[in-house]
Amino acid sequence: MNALAATNRNFRHAARILGLDSKIEKSLLIPFREIKCTIPKDDGSLVSYVGFRVQHDNARGPMKGGIRYHPEVDPDEVNALAQLMTWKTAVADIPYGGAKGGIGCTPRELSMSELERLTRVFTQKIHDLIGIHTDIPAPDMGTNAQTMAWILDEYSKFHGHSPAVVTGKPLDLGGSLGRDAATGRGVVFATEALLAEHGMKIKDLTFVIQGFGNVGSWAARLIHERGGKVVAVSDITGAVTNPNGIDVPELIIHKEKTNSLVNFQGADGMDPNELLVHECDVLIPCALGGVLNRENAAGVRAKFIVEAANHPTDPEADEILSKKGVLILPDIYANAGGVTVSYFEWVQNIQGFMWDEEKVNKELQRYMTRAFYNIKSMCKSHDCSLRMGAFTLGVNRVARATLLRGWEA
């Protein structure tokens, strides 16, 4: 099942639980706006790229969402991620709606100057459709702070200095302290809230982490600092395991030096395909969607799954894992740390007053912990899973805002 079909399925289930009117249900599913543009490569060749910006909903505030550069960017994926961002911001109770963008390209095959030209042309196409109080892009897969700096600069040529138009910027251009670690740190705060509900602590448990990019490496580092035992890690280069616990800071150094996990002296190599079924207490997928499916779900040995990636568990796997008694902390909550600190960055830019990192992290913990208890309250009210608790919380908040604004059925 592709990401859009799975997201729509979860939404419709939440809508049925909430008893939403069929007309407002349909209205909440239809994107506010979709933007497509063909962007020629500026090197004399005939290659062109297709860019997308889907704006899903603005009932609760400006739309918010990342821009990804990836060869598999397509309308269904972007639509699904825009919709997920609508529910995610509502679950975190930050005043945004959802959007998502992307360009179908392979960033590593482009020079820095080609990436800059691509980004600037894309910004020229969408500059009148994004804005501080309209739609605020952020980095995603294949993009980074430098990409946001180019968007900010190009946008400012049309609209004047506007640091709040993007988040995830370099610190020198108004970025927030703590933003780089925010998604991984939010995953850890979410995990702590879940474990506390069961009388457990990170320091007493074992963890397996799939994906060792920004989110996975920060989650692993913070779990290690709290005394948790990370027993296996994988990324696109390979996988390593140590039943006594991996020295995460040393693994990060090794990855930075070699751009690979393989040949790390502090752990044994393993088949990356075995990682998701490796024995552990907590499994944290931090890579691509759909990695947990009907083929491997029955073999999962973790007691808890924390979805740091977007849509890592397809609906069939969800059912299998639920029957096994595995508790899944859903992506629209678990990985909301990034957009929450993006919100803090936006607030700082609008106020013209920057926070220290301690304040950023303290506020992030407060938002993540509060959201968890709001999800648990919905679970109790509707006798449903954590995933449906999160979806009903988010969908209900957006539906209420839509009705209060005067939407007519």
Side-chain angles (χ1 to χ4, degrees), residues 22-63:
S22 61
K23 291 183 180 178
I24 194 168
E25 178 182 339
K26 185 175 181 181
S27 172
L28 292 175
L29 262 184
I30 298 170
F32 174 75
R33 180 188 283 131
E34 296 184 37
I35 302 146
K36 302 177 184 179
C37 53
T38 301
I39 303 163
K41 188 177 179 184
D42 191 14
D43 66 353
S45 74
L46 298 177
V47 177
S48 65
Y49 301 98
V50 178
F52 302 91
R53 185 70 179 173
V54 174
Q55 298 171 324
H56 179 258
D57 191 274
N58 62 356
R60 299 183 67 257
M63 291 164 286

Side-chain angles (χ1 to χ4, degrees), residues 302-378:
K303 302 176 186 70
F304 303 94
I305 295 174
V306 179
E307 294 186 335
N310 285 318
H311 181 59
T313 312
D314 74 20
E316 290 174 322
D318 221 353
E319 291 178 10
I320 294 167
L321 291 163
S322 294
K323 287 176 182 175
K324 281 168 59 92
V326 179
L327 286 177
I328 303 174
L329 205 55
D331 52 357
I332 61 169
Y333 164 64
N335 66 27
V339 71
T340 302
V341 175
S342 278
Y343 165 59
F344 299 161
E345 180 178 333
W346 180 72
V347 167
Q348 292 170 75
N349 292 156
I350 289 173
Q351 292 179 333
F353 181 81
M354 306 309 287
W355 302 354
D356 61 35
E357 190 166 357
E358 183 181 0
K359 178 177 174 64
V360 171
N361 293 340
K362 185 176 179 181
E363 286 297 309
L364 175 59
Q365 184 172 24
R366 185 169 71 87
Y367 271 72
M368 294 300 293
T369 305
R370 181 182 66 189
F372 179 79
Y373 290 114
N374 287 335
I375 290 168
K376 286 296 294 184
S377 177
M378 293 299 278

Side-chain angles (χ1 to χ4, degrees), residues 119-308:
T119 302
R120 289 184 182 277
V121 171
F122 184 58
T123 306
Q124 290 164 17
K125 302 279 187 178
I126 66 169
H127 77 87
D128 56 342
L129 300 170
I130 62 174
I132 294 168
H133 300 294
T134 309
D135 179 2
I136 305 129
D140 199 284
M141 190 184 302
T143 59
N144 54 26
Q146 179 61 72
T147 317
M148 296 304 106
W150 292 328
I151 294 174
L152 166 60
D153 184 66
E154 197 64 28
Y155 180 87
S156 296
K157 291 176 183 177
F158 297 94
H159 303 278
H161 183 58
S162 310
V165 74
V166 290
T167 59
K169 303 178 294 294
L171 290 175
D172 291 338
L173 293 178
S176 176
L177 292 167
R179 176 63 186 85
D180 187 51
T183 307
R185 192 179 298 276
V187 166
V188 173
F189 288 149
T191 303
E192 287 179 321
L194 174 66
L195 295 176
E197 186 81 3
H198 296 271
M200 302 177 183
K201 293 184 178 179
I202 284 176
K203 67 181 179 66
D204 301 319
L205 302 177
T206 57
F207 296 79
V208 165
I209 298 176
Q210 186 205 35
F212 206 62
N214 175 273
V215 178
S217 62
W218 271 108
R221 186 198 310 250
L222 294 167
I223 287 166
H224 182 80
E225 287 177 3
R226 285 160 169 75
K229 190 183 291 186
V230 178
V231 296
V233 172
S234 74
D235 70 1
I236 196 170
T237 66
V240 294
T241 181
N242 185 336
N244 298 315
I246 294 168
D247 187 331
V248 174
E250 285 299 316
L251 182 60
I252 290 170
I253 292 169
H254 174 79
K255 174 78 185 287
E256 288 172 348
K257 285 181 178 177
T258 66
N259 291 318
S260 174
L261 295 181
V262 299
N263 298 321
F264 175 58
Q265 297 301 309
D268 299 320
M270 66 175 290
D271 181 353
N273 295 319
E274 297 296 316
L275 185 103
L276 294 170
V277 296
H278 196 282
E279 187 171 352
C280 65
D281 296 309
V282 184
L283 171 63
I284 308 180
C286 303
L288 294 173
V291 295
L292 290 165
N293 48 55
R294 64 182 177 184
E295 278 77 34
N296 59 14
V300 170
R301 290 188 275 176
K303 302 176 186 70
F304 303 94
I305 295 174
V306 179
E307 294 186 335

